[in-house]
Amino acid sequence: MSDRHLIVLNVNGTEYEAVVEPRKTLLDVLRHDLGLTGTHVGCEHGVCGACTVLVDDAPVRACLMFAVQAEGSDIRTVESLATNRELSDLQQAFSANHALQCGFCTPGFLMLAEGFLAERPDADREEIREAVSANLCRCTGYQTIVDAISTTAARRRAACPHPEKEATTP
């Protein structure tokens, strides 16, 4: 019986093969095997959120998921946000709102926010505040993070109104 498995992971739209032990975390494969170091190693217990990635569009702590569990899923890391070296709207809002200081927790917050906004594009500030409370930041005090996410949500709503809501409005 082999204690290593060949897996294929779809990360940021690219398929990667990796030979892994069943106990190897998605976080370790992303960083060490695939060289995607934007996902940070924090507590390694699922508490801090520094390793948050999107798996099938849902925020997941990569330190708590085995790589073999992610096979067949669509995985997105912080490297997926910028296109052609241009920051995404969310990354730009984090910069403009000074929603980062040391930057260590930022990739996890960005991916948490990206998943949250996809699910809840009409979220208000209190809902955003509740969502970001799942991640830890020791520098910013969260207000500027909430500002950045709220700004992004408002801009996305303005750029793409929801016609299904207009149709149901009396």
Side-chain angles (χ1 to χ4, degrees), residues 78-92:
V78 70
E79 287 91 349
S80 73
L81 295 181
T83 54
N84 298 325
R85 297 186 165 272
E86 185 173 322
L87 297 178
S88 72
D89 59 343
L90 182 61
Q91 290 170 308
Q92 290 175 26

Side-chain angles (χ1 to χ4, degrees), residues 75-151:
I75 303 160
R76 289 184 58 207
T77 68
V78 70
E79 287 91 349
S80 73
L81 295 181
T83 54
N84 298 325
R85 297 186 165 272
E86 185 173 322
L87 297 178
S88 72
D89 59 343
L90 182 61
Q91 290 170 308
Q92 290 175 26
F94 264 65
S95 178
N97 285 279
H98 307 289
L100 53 112
Q101 287 183 20
C102 81
F104 185 80
C105 66
T106 305
F109 274 104
L110 287 167
M111 297 315 292
L112 175 72
E114 191 68 27
F116 177 74
L117 290 177
E119 171 107 359
R120 298 276 302 117
D122 295 324
D124 62 28
R125 292 181 66 80
E126 193 55 41
E127 292 169 309
I128 293 168
R129 187 173 284 108
E130 177 69 27
V132 301
S133 72
N135 283 25
L136 297 178
C137 176
R138 292 181 172 97
C139 300
T140 67
Y142 297 89
Q143 187 60 40
T144 56
I145 294 170
V146 172
D147 291 344
I149 297 169
S150 180
T151 297

Side-chain angles (χ1 to χ4, degrees), residues 3-166:
D3 55 343
R4 296 172 71 75
H5 301 277
L6 174 65
I7 60 172
V8 178
L9 297 176
N10 182 355
V11 183
N12 301 331
T14 302
E15 283 194 354
Y16 296 91
E17 287 186 351
V19 177
V20 300
E21 295 178 1
R23 64 190 175 118
K24 194 166 193 178
T25 66
L26 178 59
L27 173 63
D28 286 336
V29 170
L30 291 171
R31 289 184 59 81
H32 303 293
D33 297 343
L34 306 184
L36 298 169
T37 57
T39 304
H40 290 168
V41 181
C43 67
E44 297 185 83
H45 297 286
V47 175
C48 73
C51 67
T52 302
V53 297
L54 297 181
V55 177
D56 295 329
D57 299 323
V60 170
R61 309 288 201 205
C63 72
L64 294 180
M65 180 178 230
F66 294 120
V68 294
Q69 292 175 293
E71 188 169 28
S73 295
D74 180 40
I75 303 160
R76 289 184 58 207
T77 68
V78 70
E79 287 91 349
S80 73
L81 295 181
T83 54
N84 298 325
R85 297 186 165 272
E86 185 173 322
L87 297 178
S88 72
D89 59 343
L90 182 61
Q91 290 170 308
Q92 290 175 26
F94 264 65
S95 178
N97 285 279
H98 307 289
L100 53 112
Q101 287 183 20
C102 81
F104 185 80
C105 66
T106 305
F109 274 104
L110 287 167
M111 297 315 292
L112 175 72
E114 191 68 27
F116 177 74
L117 290 177
E119 171 107 359
R120 298 276 302 117
D122 295 324
D124 62 28
R125 292 181 66 80
E126 193 55 41
E127 292 169 309
I128 293 168
R129 187 173 284 108
E130 177 69 27
V132 301
S133 72
N135 283 25
L136 297 178
C137 176
R138 292 181 172 97
C139 300
T140 67
Y142 297 89
Q143 187 60 40
T144 56
I145 294 170
V146 172
D147 291 344
I149 297 169
S150 180
T151 297
T152 302
R155 287 182 179 156
R156 287 181 182 180
R157 284 191 302 267
C160 183
H162 301 287
E164 66 278 357
K165 288 190 176 191
E166 293 172 8

